[in-house]
Amino acid sequence: EVQLLESGGGLVQPGGSLRLSCAASGFTFSNDAMTWVRQAPGKGLEYVSSITESGDITYYAESVKGRFTISRDNSKNTLYLQMNILRVEDTAKYYCVDTPRLNGHHFPANWGQGTLVTVSS
Amino acid sequence: QSALTQEASVSGTVGEKVTLSCTGNRNNIGSYGVGWYQQISHGPPKSVMFGNSLPSGIPDRFSASKSGTTASLTISGLQPEDEADYYCATWDFSLNARVFGGGTKLTVL
């Protein structure tokens, strides 16, 4: 069974930093791309960032480009999201999502429970 | 404003067939497969469709199709447990990012 366990969320002041982690199990982590998706309170799902299977290519939403960095350690089956210069509007639950290649396309597939990030003074 | 457009709300009665739509452009839906995600009461989302393939454990009353730049999710034989928010998502090559629809709230009457 695929399990994705996010951690590292919490309360941080504007301008501060946080590092999210996602521990993966139940599948071959290095075979799948990975994605971070967030959801602000009462709002819809918003793409944040994704990374290829080997970690050599990363992608970001325009809203986080230059502030967030996605990375992975395939030896530890762990995905990371380093978040710097945090803004109030970054307040959201952050989901780690396994993104395998299926029928020629990558699809976000299995979702973690999420970790809550609150940016407030 | 979301890159993909979904109905804000759709309703149906138990046993009815309902179709949710997701409209994009040639940079996204027109070029890539569309995933559909169910979110019940703000819990974690669950995948209900990868393109036109059902994930393991999803009942076959769920089906999907795509025509040009519009994708559709159809639920045949609507059940009370299908009441949820549904999101579509795909890749956009002009943005070099994944894009989501704003979500459709499905109410089962």
Side-chain angles (χ1 to χ4, degrees):
Chain A
E1 179 193 1
V2 173
Q3 289 198 332
L4 299 164
L5 184 60
E6 302 96 336
S7 60
L11 174 64
V12 62
Q13 291 189 337
S17 299
L18 275 178
R19 188 197 200 199
L20 305 184
S21 298
C22 170
S25 61
F27 66 106
T28 304
F29 182 69
S30 59
N31 283 356
D32 288 357
M34 295 295 295
T35 301
W36 287 100
V37 176
R38 69 184 180 184
Q39 186 171 35
K43 302 295 185 182
L45 301 176
E46 180 188 14
Y47 170 78
V48 175
S49 180
S50 52
I51 188 168
T52 55
E53 292 82 346
S54 63
D56 59 340
I57 303 174
T58 57
Y59 305 93
Y60 298 94
E62 204 60 40
S63 58
V64 306
K65 208 172 284 186
R67 300 188 298 122
F68 290 12
T69 302
I70 190 172
S71 62
R72 64 190 297 162
D73 186 336
N74 286 346
S75 69
K76 295 182 178 178
N77 290 350
T78 303
L79 176 71
Y80 303 100
L81 186 68
Q82 178 66 45
M83 305 186 296
N84 297 330
I85 318 175
L86 281 160
R87 304 168 179 166
V88 171
E89 54 265 35
D90 295 319
T91 295
K93 180 167 279 190
Y94 286 71
Y95 293 101
C96 166
V97 195
D98 166 35
T99 311
R101 190 174 179 87
L102 304 166
N103 300 326
H105 298 269
H106 283 96
F107 290 99
N110 299 289
W111 299 65
Q113 294 293 311
T115 186
L116 184 62
V117 172
T118 303
V119 185
S120 174
S121 55
Chain B
Q1 190 170 356
S2 303
L4 305 180
T5 301
Q6 299 183 250
E7 303 95 342
S9 62
V10 169
S11 63
T13 57
V14 173
E16 189 179 353
K17 181 171 79 171
V18 295
T19 297
L20 283 57
S21 70
C22 174
T23 301
N25 59 44
R26 63 186 178 93
N27 297 332
N28 43 61
I29 292 180
S31 299
Y32 295 94
V34 177
W36 289 90
Y37 306 94
Q38 176 194 66
Q39 188 177 36
I40 297 174
S41 299
H42 297 289
K46 181 170 75 171
S47 301
V48 296
M49 195 64 64
F50 302 136
N52 55 11
S53 297
L54 275 173
S56 173
I58 301 301
D60 60 7
R61 63 176 182 274
F62 287 85
S63 63
S65 63
K66 186 174 77 167
S67 177
T69 58
T70 297
S72 300
L73 177 71
T74 298
I75 308 173
S76 303
L78 200 59
Q79 297 298 307
E81 60 265 30
D82 298 333
E83 184 162 291
D85 293 324
Y86 289 85
Y87 296 89
C88 59
T90 189
W91 190 258
D92 188 301
F93 69 74
S94 67
L95 298 174
N96 229 11
R98 191 162 300 277
V99 290
F100 281 86
T104 296
K105 183 177 182 61
L106 174 63
T107 301
V108 181
L109 303 170

